[in-house]
Amino acid sequence: MSDEPDFHLFIPGPAGSTPEVIEATGRPVVPHYGGRFVAAYNRCIDLFKAVFQTENDLFLIVGPGTASLDAALSSALPDGARVLVPSNGFFGRRMTEMCRAHRAEVDVVEFPLGEAIDPEAIRHRLEASVAPYDAVAWVHHETSTGVLNPIEPVAAAAKDHGALTILDAVASLGGADLPVDAWGVDLCVSVANKCLAAPPGISAISVSAAAWEAIDANPSSRSWYLDLRTWRRYREEWAAWHPFPTTVASNTIAAISTSIEQILEEGLDVRIRRTAEAATEVRDGLRRLGFEMFAADDVASPVTTSVYAHPELPVADMQRFLMERLIFISGGLDDLAGRIFRIGHMGRSIERGEVELLLGTIEEALRDAGVAVPEGADLENIGA
Ligand SMILES: *Cc1c(COP(=O)(O)O)cnc(C)c1O
């Protein structure tokens, strides 16, 4: 189909897509309005709702995941809102930064890198506060450390104290279970190009009744495009013809619909299980090759594996070796740069053949660096 080289993306997003998704991306550009496109668009929203496991309103905002996070914060937080941010890594810190950019008064509850957020600590913090919090905002999958944070107990604590729940599920949705309604997430944000395995271009945000109440009561607006009231108005007033305020990334809509259809055909639960199995295979394989995991097994995310650098092979050298073979993994961010590397389990990278390719090539990289590796250490026991 194309002369492009065959890239193997083991980074935590964007993820490799199936041939059918690539084909959908490459179809001719269509007008982003009119009955035919609107039907396809609304179907895409329904497909997203199935993955979010939500009956809430859901909007597809053109842009990266960050655009929908900005939409959540800009729409729901009045100037001076009090927000509690449990944080355990780069994206938790970014959530704090974003809330402050939206003029919120932020209190951070900091947890060590590589550990999960502790819901009890959040509950205590909410209980101990004299003034109530307007919102608790946190990250489901902390992609910088490969840790999956708890949702339900944190959301329950927030609800018990009258706070809105705002969740960055950019990296987890479609790869880890996240029943948005059952777990009480008011504003949940995700994106097309991580576990949903479509090309970048579209982010998604679900909005609960409680979130709408907060949004309608918000006297401030720090955006027009990223104000959910704008999106709701266009959905109502231009429903039949153009139910969104701007041009839409129509090719990405076609691609993401195809990808979610494939996920639902396989079964969301099956996809989630396969993702976890790929993570386990990579963890086991890397351990046999002599690597040590950064996040402990009980908090490790199924979506990204974080691994300490091999004492005899610097991360940058290993990345270079892999990159020459079109295999891409990620290094560490900030304080963890040079200390860890990260492997995403999203889209194509969870396929058995891809996992074997990755482990086999890392084994080669070790041998190339003169590190002693037991013969076939990477592959034995896979799938056992
Ligand atoms: C990737 C990622 C983001 C940023 O997503 P963009 O689409 O680049 O805006 C935010 N949060 C988490 C947890 C991520 O993994």
Side-chain angles (χ1 to χ4, degrees):
M1 190 178 68
S2 93
D3 300 330
E4 286 296 313
D6 192 16
F7 292 108
H8 301 274
L9 302 185
F10 291 94
I11 53 180
S17 301
T18 62
E20 294 77 20
V21 172
I22 302 295
E23 185 274 324
T25 315
R27 284 180 208 154
V29 173
V30 297
H32 66 283
Y33 45 78
R36 197 184 153 104
F37 180 73
V38 169
Y41 182 81
N42 288 336
R43 166 147 177 75
C44 188
I45 288 179
D46 288 341
L47 289 165
F48 263 101
K49 283 186 183 179
V51 180
F52 274 60
Q53 304 177 58
T54 189
E55 314 253 302
N56 288 337
D57 282 337
L58 189 142
F59 297 92
L60 301 179
I61 294 184
V62 181
T66 305
S68 276
L69 283 172
D70 255 336
L73 303 175
S74 137
S75 307
L77 301 181
D79 287 2
R82 297 192 72 241
V83 182
L84 190 65
V85 177
S87 168
N88 57 344
F90 177 88
F91 289 103
R93 277 202 301 282
R94 185 184 273 198
M95 178 69 94
T96 303
E97 227 177 88
M98 291 182 73
C99 288
R100 289 190 174 133
H102 287 288
R103 304 196 191 110
E105 300 287 331
V106 182
D107 287 335
V108 181
V109 188
E110 193 84 42
F111 297 91
L113 296 179
E115 290 182 19
I117 286 168
D118 173 14
E120 279 314 300
I122 304 307
R123 186 174 281 280
H124 288 148
R125 187 62 177 260
L126 288 161
E127 271 163 14
S129 173
V130 181
Y133 284 100
D134 295 289
V136 177
W138 75 112
V139 176
H140 187 199
H141 174 258
E142 180 47 76
T143 312
S144 65
T145 57
V147 167
L148 197 67
N149 283 317
I151 304 304
E152 196 178 15
V154 177
K159 292 281 156 195
D160 287 347
H161 292 84
L164 217 55
T165 51
I166 302 177
L167 189 65
D168 171 349
V170 169
S172 51
L173 239 145
D177 195 30
L178 179 50
V180 167
D181 294 358
W183 286 358
V185 182
D186 293 313
L187 288 151
C188 185
V189 167
S190 196
V191 81
N193 54 278
K194 291 203 178 179
C195 292
L196 298 178
I202 296 277
S203 60
I205 179 167
S206 67
V207 188
S208 73
W212 277 128
E213 249 177 69
I215 293 166
D216 285 326
N218 180 7
S220 353
S221 177
R222 293 168 223 98
S223 177
W224 183 86
Y225 177 62
L226 295 177
D227 191 323
L228 290 166
R229 287 167 290 204
T230 304
W231 286 77
R232 182 178 56 187
R233 182 155 55 84
Y234 276 84
R235 194 190 61 184
E236 284 164 8
E237 294 177 5
W238 288 18
W241 179 71
H242 192 302
F244 30 74
T246 65
T247 309
V248 169
S250 46
N251 289 54
T252 304
I253 293 284
I256 186 67
S257 288
T258 304
S259 195
I260 298 180
E261 274 164 4
Q262 291 184 327
I263 291 171
L264 297 179
E265 228 162 79
E266 167 180 12
L268 179 59
D269 54 333
V270 177
R271 175 64 64 96
I272 288 169
R273 197 179 63 231
R274 282 206 301 126
T275 302
E277 284 167 1
T280 302
E281 281 166 10
V282 167
R283 291 173 80 78
D284 290 351
L286 289 176
R287 280 190 169 119
R288 282 194 294 273
L289 288 171
F291 289 93
E292 197 187 324
M293 299 302 115
F294 179 70
D297 286 344
D298 60 338
V299 295
S301 149
V303 167
T304 301
T305 293
S306 57
V307 188
Y308 280 109
H310 197 286
E312 296 169 72
L313 178 59
V315 170
D317 293 354
M318 188 170 89
Q319 277 184 296
R320 200 172 312 114
F321 187 94
L322 294 171
M323 227 182 307
E324 281 163 7
R325 290 151 184 82
L326 303 180
I327 295 172
F328 294 80
I329 63 169
S330 294
L333 295 169
D334 288 352
D335 294 350
L336 295 173
R339 292 181 54 206
I340 67 166
F341 61 90
R342 296 172 301 141
I343 292 169
H345 314 295
M346 300 173 174
R348 186 182 171 205
S349 69
I350 69 171
E351 303 303 331
R352 168 66 54 86
E354 291 296 294
V355 169
E356 288 176 358
L357 172 74
L358 175 74
L359 293 173
T361 313
I362 291 178
E363 179 177 355
E364 266 180 62
L366 290 169
R367 290 187 197 286
D368 185 70
V371 181
V373 183
E375 193 67 45
D378 57 323
L379 296 181
E380 70 183 311
N381 295 332
I382 274 199

